[in-house]
Amino acid sequence: MYLIITEKDTAAKRIAAILSENKVKKVRYPKLGIETYEFNYKDEPTVVMGLSGHVVGIDFPNEYNNWQKNSARDLIDAEIIPISTNKKIVTALKVIGKKADHVTIATDYDREGELIGVEALTLVQSVNPDVKFDRALYSAITPKDITHAFDNLTTVNFDLADAGHAREVIDLVWGAALTRYISLCAGRLGKLFLSVGRVQSPTLALIVEREKEREAFIPVQYWEIEAALETKSKESFIAEYHTNRIFEKEIADRVYSNVIVGNDAKIKAIEAKKRKEKPPIPFNTTEFYVAANAVGISVNNAKRMYQTLYEAGFLSYPRTDSTIYPESLELRSLIEMFVGTEFDQYAKALLKIADKDGLKPTQGKKEDPAHPPIHPVAPAKRSDMKEDEWKIYELVVRRFFATFAGEAEWDTMKVEIDINSEDFKSNGSRLVEEGWRWYYPYNKPEDRVLPHLEEGDLLKITSKELFDKETQPPSRYGQGRLIRVMDDMGIGTKATRADIINKLVSRYYVHGNPLQPTNMAYSVIDTLEEYAPTIVKPDMTKQLEADMDKISEGAISESDVLKESREMLNSIFDELEKNHEEIGKSLQSGLREDKIVGKCQSCGSDLSIRKSKKGARFIGCNGYPECSFSLPVPRTGQVVVTDKMCDEHQMYKIKIITEGKRPWELGCPQCNFIEWQKKLEEDAKNGIVAETSAERTKRIKKEKAAAKAEREAKAANPAELSDIKGLGTASLQKLNDAGIMTLSDFKSADSGKLSKETGISMKNIEKWKEVL
């Protein structure tokens, strides 16, 4: 038997369909709780089985889980043991793998994918040590790529898997040891622990550093002056003072007074040029994230949706550094496949260019031997996917097209104008040849068309305006921009950067987009920078990333890198333990500030987020018991105190973050409370009585009991299949797939045949039929 192992079930299903030419049978193993795809491939019985990513992980032995009995430093040299993260699949791999004569690893071709494949292979070898094995490498799940991969099987890259395993061990040890130490120092245990990590902390430091730059920024006042000018043909345009910004008030006043409405301005010089704009380079992972974020899709959502489209066979492999199309890529064929689709006119236009001049794509400086740049691999319809998935797909298709298109061409005009001996200017630009921008219209600058002008023309000044402005602080990092900075600084990898940003959000270190750090982030980074700066600098993590690349190249052993990593971490702990007391004080002081919402208007003390003896949260005055001022806070979700203040109540606005939901911008707690009180009064006028907490609990219990009674009534006398007790949605879908749509269909079906066809046990089928 031939066993093919893929990273996920979706990939297994698609690869099986391709290799079997859609003559595949889905087989369910009820006792194992998994499904496989079975067929004959090259006259050999073949099973394709999907994993769920890593089915084997790593951890410390159980005795290290007790934070009180084991110091954080003990974790550095603690034993690392493998653990099963999906027992069903591990068991299935051993049961099916024991019968295999030949195993092909067909997981994703990158460091993590190779490790996942080797983990699975090791499980098979534990029960079948002499099994023959090899590797299928592909960059897209298309018939052409998969067929080529299985016609050209290669060897498993154990060095690449070792590099992935080294990352796992290093991230576990660094993250667990540092997180435990810092959390214990701060007294933040349980769900409130303070997460610290090898890649996470340097990334957070970048965000905090930018915020400090913004806070330290001292705005400088400046002025801008504009004059509205009109030609003899009554066409108008705006001219600006030649330096744009005027930093001296005396000069601004002088210039403004010299611009006299009703007087003439004179054209001193005109410079007309053509400006050519080169097409963009192909997408690699970083540039894709930047572009997706620019069209309003978060990095994490872009990653998730792209993975779905890759597994569905629409887009190429998502994790690549390459910005150069390899010669092996049949570029013309990729363009031709869009003829007759929604992108028909663009494809035909490119093919005309190809017929005339050949295809000459742009290229960047990076080349990834494993995978080509991101590109489409199959045509799709909008109806094939969700709205945001289509947005991602269209972005990739249009970028791909743009890399073959001609330059965009602009007509530009720079006009110098004399207004009462003061120098003004006006710049115009007009897109005359769309070139690549026709294919890729995102963030296209608007035309600024000036009227027909000639040197010496006199223009009428119709109005003037003096703008009083201030210089602005450096902007916060958007998610896409941060990904690019991380890439430039060697922080993380193309496969991990999106997850790192998501982790910072989920741990409540940052919020919003652009990303803004919380006070908790400040506290952690400030403490680490003072007492263990190595953790937050990119140098250390960059060095370890380079070492892991060397492992994958076979230039250095995994054990040497792990030893080096532990030595680094031990030296960090030398510094931490030397300053243990100061670190605790620093963290605790910063975390207290994180809870301060504002000043009490009754007594002037700080208002902070507190907990009652029963565990309920509220905003209370630090002057208690002398001052009893308080405000309610929502029962669930993480409270984040923002830097925006309510002018009326001098309180910082807050937001409530709940995992998996959009942040709730609650705003000023006092304003929110006042609005709530008004609603209660309005409800009282209308005869609506607000529930107490006890009444709400009682109502919910009553509603649950009523729902349960309704379900039981339906189960006793079902009106449709979904009413049958114990028949879940998965089983219902299997019955529907087998043509069983009604109670009558189900009752009259042969139980044995139905069991074979659906994989549902005969016992369950008979049990469900009993109520009919």
Side-chain angles (χ1 to χ4, degrees):
M1 183 263 283
Y2 179 31
L3 174 61
I4 299 170
I5 300 172
T6 70
E7 199 159 316
K8 292 182 181 176
D9 182 70
T10 47
K13 183 178 181 180
R14 184 159 176 78
I15 287 172
I18 291 168
L19 294 178
S20 69
E21 297 178 340
N22 290 315
K23 296 172 184 174
V24 64
K25 182 181 179 183
K26 184 162 72 172
V27 178
R28 179 164 180 79
Y29 291 75
K31 290 183 180 178
L32 301 177
I34 61 122
E35 291 175 341
T36 61
Y37 304 91
E38 301 186 7
F39 53 96
N40 278 339
Y41 178 63
K42 297 182 179 178
D43 297 324
E44 186 176 7
T46 299
V47 177
V48 185
M49 178 181 175
L51 307 174
S52 56
H54 289 281
V55 296
V56 175
I58 56 171
D59 204 348
F60 302 103
N62 283 336
E63 58 264 27
Y64 287 92
N65 291 338
N66 190 316
W67 285 31
Q68 306 304 324
K69 288 185 179 179
N70 296 279
S71 76
R73 191 163 193 161
D74 290 342
L75 296 174
I76 299 175
D77 296 304
E79 179 189 2
I80 304 294
I81 58 172
I83 57 166
S84 171
T85 57
N86 191 317
K87 290 182 180 178
K88 284 183 180 179
I89 293 180
V90 167
T91 302
L93 264 174
K94 290 180 178 180
V95 170
I96 297 169
K98 193 171 185 178
K99 303 172 188 174
D101 305 303
H102 176 194
V103 173
T104 292
I105 301 300
T107 50
D108 289 349
Y109 180 32
D110 61 9
R111 194 182 288 174
E112 186 177 13
E114 204 72 16
L115 177 58
I116 290 169
V118 168
E119 289 167 352
L121 177 61
T122 303
L123 288 168
V124 173
Q125 288 176 320
S126 70
V127 294
N128 189 352
D130 298 323
V131 69
K132 177 187 172 187
F133 62 89
D134 46 35
R135 184 74 162 95
L137 303 178
Y138 52 89
S139 287
I141 309 179
T142 64
K144 179 186 170 185
D145 287 79
I146 295 303
T147 302
H148 180 268
F150 279 85
D151 285 343
N152 297 274
L153 294 170
T154 185
T155 56
V156 173
N157 189 335
F158 289 98
D159 288 333
L160 190 61
D162 283 347
H165 186 259
R167 172 185 299 285
E168 265 195 324
V169 173
I170 289 169
D171 286 349
L172 171 67
V173 172
W174 281 66
L178 291 170
T179 292
R180 183 175 297 190
Y181 183 84
I182 295 300
S183 297
L184 286 168
C185 281
R188 291 286 291 261
L189 308 179
K191 290 183 179 179
L192 297 175
F193 70 87
L194 297 178
S195 178
V196 180
R198 178 183 66 86
V199 180
Q200 171 192 315
S201 297
T203 305
L204 183 58
L206 287 174
I207 299 168
V208 170
E209 184 182 349
R210 176 51 57 92
E211 198 67 20
K212 287 180 179 178
E213 289 173 8
R214 289 172 55 82
E215 289 173 353
F217 181 82
I218 299 172
V220 177
Q221 191 176 24
Y222 69 91
W223 295 264
E224 291 180 352
I225 298 172
E226 290 183 355
L229 307 178
E230 186 179 83
T231 66
K232 288 180 180 178
S233 58
K234 302 299 182 184
E235 292 179 278
S236 297
F237 67 98
I238 300 294
E240 305 92 20
Y241 187 64
H242 73 102
T243 62
N244 291 112
R245 296 179 176 186
I246 305 171
F247 287 96
E248 296 176 32
K249 185 69 165 63
E250 296 77 12
I251 296 175
D253 289 340
R254 185 205 76 210
V255 173
Y256 188 70
S257 64
N258 281 337
V259 179
I260 301 169
V261 176
N263 282 8
D264 288 341
K266 184 178 181 180
I267 303 287
K268 286 169 57 180
I270 296 176
E271 183 182 9
K273 284 185 178 180
K274 288 198 178 291
R275 178 172 65 86
K276 292 189 175 181
E277 193 179 15
K278 291 183 177 180
I281 61 173
F283 272 151
N284 60 11
T285 304
T286 297
E287 292 308 312
F288 162 71
Y289 284 145
V290 171
N293 201 229
V295 297
I297 300 174
S298 73
V299 166
N300 198 52
N301 283 340
K303 177 185 177 181
R304 178 177 49 79
M305 288 185 285
Y306 192 109
Q307 185 70 25
T308 299
L309 297 176
Y310 159 69
E311 290 171 3
F314 291 120
L315 299 178
S316 64
Y317 190 66
R319 292 178 285 282
T320 177
D321 285 325
S322 186
T323 51
I324 300 172
Y325 296 125
E327 291 182 8
S328 58
L329 209 57
E330 295 180 14
L331 299 173
R332 185 182 179 99
S333 297
L334 289 172
I335 296 168
E336 285 174 340
M337 72 185 181
F338 286 101
V339 173
T341 71
E342 183 166 331
F343 302 100
D344 178 79
Q345 61 176 327
Y346 304 104
K348 286 178 176 174
L350 281 181
L351 291 171
K352 281 185 181 177
I353 293 172
D355 290 338
K356 184 182 177 184
D357 302 316
L359 289 173
K360 299 172 184 175
T362 57
Q363 59 182 35
K365 297 177 181 179
K366 295 182 179 179
E367 194 163 12
D368 185 336
H371 297 288
I374 284 173
H375 65 278
V377 295
K381 300 176 184 175
R382 284 180 189 265
S383 56
D384 290 335
M385 32 187 103
K386 296 174 184 174
E387 185 180 344
D388 272 357
E389 287 174 347
W390 176 262
K391 206 171 179 180
I392 291 289
Y393 179 76
E394 183 177 16
L395 179 71
V396 172
V397 172
R398 288 185 172 279
R399 180 62 163 245
F400 176 68
F401 285 167
T403 62
F404 301 99
E407 295 175 330
E409 194 171 297
W410 297 79
D411 276 348
T412 65
M413 182 183 289
K414 183 179 178 182
V415 182
E416 295 178 20
I417 304 160
D418 180 1
I419 298 180
N420 198 13
S421 298
E422 301 288 0
D423 291 331
F424 276 67
K425 66 176 182 180
S426 189
N427 295 316
S429 61
R430 182 169 62 92
L431 187 63
V432 291
E433 183 60 54
E434 283 191 292
W436 64 271
R437 284 197 173 275
W438 180 59
Y439 301 89
Y440 192 78
Y442 306 98
N443 305 313
K444 186 169 104 176
E446 290 185 5
D447 286 353
R448 184 182 177 184
V449 182
L450 295 177
H452 177 73
L453 300 169
E454 291 186 8
E455 196 172 313
D457 280 355
L458 294 178
L459 309 165
K460 186 67 67 183
I461 303 170
T462 58
S463 66
K464 64 178 180 177
E465 196 156 3
L466 176 68
F467 298 98
D468 188 345
K469 295 185 177 183
E470 286 184 340
T471 54
Q472 296 301 305
S475 59
R476 294 184 175 109
Y477 291 118
Q479 291 189 10
R481 187 175 167 205
L482 181 60
I483 287 270
R484 184 179 281 161
V485 172
M486 292 170 73
D487 187 14
D488 291 343
M489 299 182 76
I491 300 174
T493 68
K494 56 185 177 288
T496 62
R497 291 180 186 121
D499 292 333
I500 289 298
I501 293 175
N502 192 48
K503 190 171 186 179
L504 292 177
V505 174
S506 67
R507 292 306 308 157
Y508 312 115
Y509 279 133
V510 299
H511 61 95
N513 190 23
L515 298 164
Q516 182 178 352
T518 60
N519 288 333
M520 182 169 69
Y522 265 86
S523 176
V524 171
I525 295 303
D526 284 351
T527 302
L528 292 176
E529 282 183 339
E530 184 169 357
Y531 299 109
T534 307
I535 301 172
V536 293
K537 301 298 180 190
D539 310 59
M540 167 273 302
T541 193
K542 187 176 182 179
Q543 181 182 334
L544 288 173
E545 294 294 349
D547 287 344
M548 284 182 270
D549 286 340
K550 289 177 183 176
I551 295 173
S552 64
E553 295 161 6
I556 191 172
S557 72
E558 179 187 0
S559 59
D560 284 345
V561 174
L562 293 180
K563 182 183 176 186
E564 176 194 29
S565 160
R566 288 185 167 102
E567 287 171 353
M568 281 185 185
L569 192 50
N570 267 309
S571 67
I572 288 170
F573 265 82
D574 288 341
E575 293 301 311
L576 290 172
E577 290 173 349
K578 192 190 303 178
N579 299 289
H580 181 80
E581 193 174 329
E582 291 82 359
I583 290 171
K585 287 178 182 176
S586 175
L587 287 170
Q588 288 164 22
S589 171
L591 293 173
R592 277 195 295 273
E593 290 177 14
D594 195 41
K595 296 179 179 180
I596 295 173
V597 178
K599 293 289 183 184
C600 177
Q601 292 188 327
S602 298
C603 72
S605 299
D606 285 336
L607 293 172
S608 58
I609 299 163
R610 307 163 76 91
K611 274 192 175 181
S612 69
K613 291 179 181 178
K614 294 182 178 179
R617 294 185 305 188
F618 65 97
I619 293 171
C621 180
N622 288 0
Y624 180 85
E626 286 76 17
C627 179
S628 59
F629 179 85
S630 67
L631 291 169
V633 173
R635 284 185 287 269
T636 59
Q638 176 76 14
V639 181
V640 173
V641 181
T642 73
D643 63 345
K644 296 174 183 173
M645 183 168 274
C646 170
D647 293 333
E648 184 178 354
H649 300 111
Q650 294 300 297
M651 286 188 199
Y652 290 109
K653 296 179 181 181
I654 64 175
K655 63 170 66 175
I656 310 296
I657 299 177
T658 304
E659 197 169 350
K661 295 182 180 179
R662 286 184 179 275
W664 172 17
E665 303 284 349
L666 186 139
C668 168
Q670 181 82 56
C671 292
N672 186 274
F673 180 71
I674 291 168
E675 286 300 314
W676 181 56
Q677 292 288 89
K678 283 180 183 176
K679 185 179 183 303
L680 290 180
E681 290 174 11
E682 194 67 31
D683 287 348
K685 286 179 186 176
N686 296 325
I688 301 170
V689 181
E691 286 181 318
T692 64
S693 179
E695 287 170 338
R696 181 176 179 274
T697 302
K698 190 175 179 181
R699 174 178 57 79
I700 291 172
K701 281 184 178 178
K702 192 174 179 182
E703 288 172 356
K704 284 182 177 178
K708 184 181 178 182
E710 186 181 352
R711 286 196 303 272
E712 288 173 351
K714 282 184 176 181
N717 188 22
E720 51 188 64
L721 284 172
S722 59
D723 293 337
I724 297 175
K725 188 175 182 180
L727 201 163
T729 53
S731 296
L732 181 62
Q733 185 61 54
K734 288 172 185 175
L735 291 173
N736 291 164
D737 291 344
I740 307 297
M741 310 302 289
T742 66
L743 291 172
S744 177
D745 293 338
F746 185 53
K747 190 174 182 179
S748 60
D750 180 274
S751 299
K753 288 181 180 177
L754 193 57
S755 176
K756 266 188 179 178
E757 192 171 349
T758 61
I760 300 171
S761 71
M762 174 112 60
K763 183 181 176 182
N764 278 342
I765 291 172
E766 292 295 340
K767 183 177 74 175
W768 295 334
K769 282 187 175 184
E770 285 175 6
V771 298
L772 302 180

